[in-house]
Amino acid sequence: GAGVSQTPSNKVTEKGKYVELRCDPISGHTALYWYRQSLGQGPEFLIYFQGTGAADDSGLPNDRFFAVRPEGSVSTLKIQRTERGDSAVYLCASSLGARGNTDTQYFGPGTRLTVL
Amino acid sequence: KQEVTQIPAALSVPEGENLVLNCSFTDSAIYNLQWFRQDPGKGLTSLLLIQSSQREQTSGRLNASLDKSSGRSTLYIAASQPGDSATYLCAPGANNLFFGTGTRLTVIP
């Protein structure tokens, strides 16, 4: 079956602009995660959804970052007033979410965001 | 906050060698631990998941162990192949995963 997909694969924007990054999880997965990976680093947690609600958003760096999952499937990560430091690869993952989050997380290919 | 350390940072071995990658973490209150591989410019591919109640998991030439009380996990790769060349990341998890910076493995033909 289809894996996690993310669009766009690459996004170049100018400082101060607004961007939206999209994640399509594996069908039937109720848990969805966003991570951010800077060059040479491991991924860093941003936010976790269980169904439609954000169960843990403690990783969002500031109020310029926001994510939604209105129907419990597709999620959109929104970044306002982008800064050069936001440049990174944004990774999305999903899991079944059925056993208190002890399930395997499956990752998408990521969106490479470059802020000029 | 969970801190994850992976040693060595980089490893180069000839094809056919067995090797061990090490991972340590500071907070033992985890649900599970996953090992991933990441190829350059790509996303993460899950290799193994060990539940917190388990001691090890095996998949093909890979064997991962977990000692939750001491905050350690190892990934053993048998009979390494050039296709195993990648960065390997361990990630202990609760509601979300915490990552180290990985071990970059090169298997020389």
Side-chain angles (χ1 to χ4, degrees):
Chain A
V4 178
S5 62
Q6 293 185 244
T7 55
S9 55
N10 280 284
K11 176 71 177 177
V12 180
T13 191
E14 293 180 344
K15 180 175 178 295
K17 299 289 189 183
Y18 167 83
V19 297
E20 289 190 351
L21 311 179
R22 176 187 168 109
C23 172
D24 280 88
I26 293 172
S27 178
H29 281 192
T30 62
L32 185 146
Y33 309 80
W34 284 98
Y35 295 83
R36 177 169 72 172
Q37 186 173 25
S38 300
L39 193 64
Q41 302 297 312
E44 180 183 26
F45 168 73
L46 296 176
I47 186 169
Y48 148 58
F49 287 90
Q50 182 62 257
T52 60
D56 183 354
D57 64 358
S58 62
L60 294 177
N62 52 58
D63 61 6
R64 295 187 298 106
F65 288 74
F66 189 70
V68 295
R69 195 185 185 201
E71 297 178 358
S73 178
V74 170
S75 176
T76 304
L77 179 66
K78 309 181 181 195
I79 311 174
Q80 299 177 323
R81 305 184 303 280
T82 51
E83 300 177 356
R84 291 193 180 87
D86 298 335
S87 297
V89 176
Y90 289 80
L91 296 165
C92 176
S94 71
S95 71
L96 281 171
R99 293 189 297 162
N101 290 320
T102 58
D103 301 304
T104 299
Q105 291 190 25
Y106 297 92
F107 280 74
T111 293
R112 180 176 300 279
L113 175 66
T114 303
V115 182
L116 301 176
Chain B
K1 184 189 170 187
Q2 179 76 272
E3 301 288 340
V4 181
T5 303
Q6 290 189 245
I7 295 172
L11 181 64
S12 185
V13 300
E15 181 178 2
E17 240 183 54
N18 303 325
L19 57 101
V20 175
L21 308 180
N22 296 290
C23 170
S24 61
F25 49 95
T26 55
D27 186 350
S28 62
I30 62 172
Y31 294 164
N32 56 41
L33 185 143
Q34 278 189 251
W35 280 93
F36 296 88
R37 67 173 282 167
Q38 186 171 33
D39 295 281
K42 306 290 186 183
L44 279 65
T45 301
S46 180
L47 298 173
L48 289 164
L49 177 141
I50 312 176
Q51 303 291 354
S52 61
S53 59
Q54 296 176 321
R55 299 285 292 185
E56 66 179 88
Q57 275 288 348
T58 298
S59 176
R61 295 182 295 106
L62 306 179
N63 176 276
S65 67
L66 174 64
D67 184 343
K68 201 174 83 156
S69 61
S70 68
R72 295 176 190 274
S73 178
T74 61
L75 179 67
Y76 175 83
I77 303 177
S80 58
Q81 303 172 357
D84 295 333
S85 298
T87 295
Y88 289 79
L89 294 156
C90 81
N95 283 331
N96 52 275
L97 298 175
F98 297 88
F99 291 85
T101 53
T103 293
R104 188 172 70 252
L105 173 66
T106 303
V107 181
I108 304 165

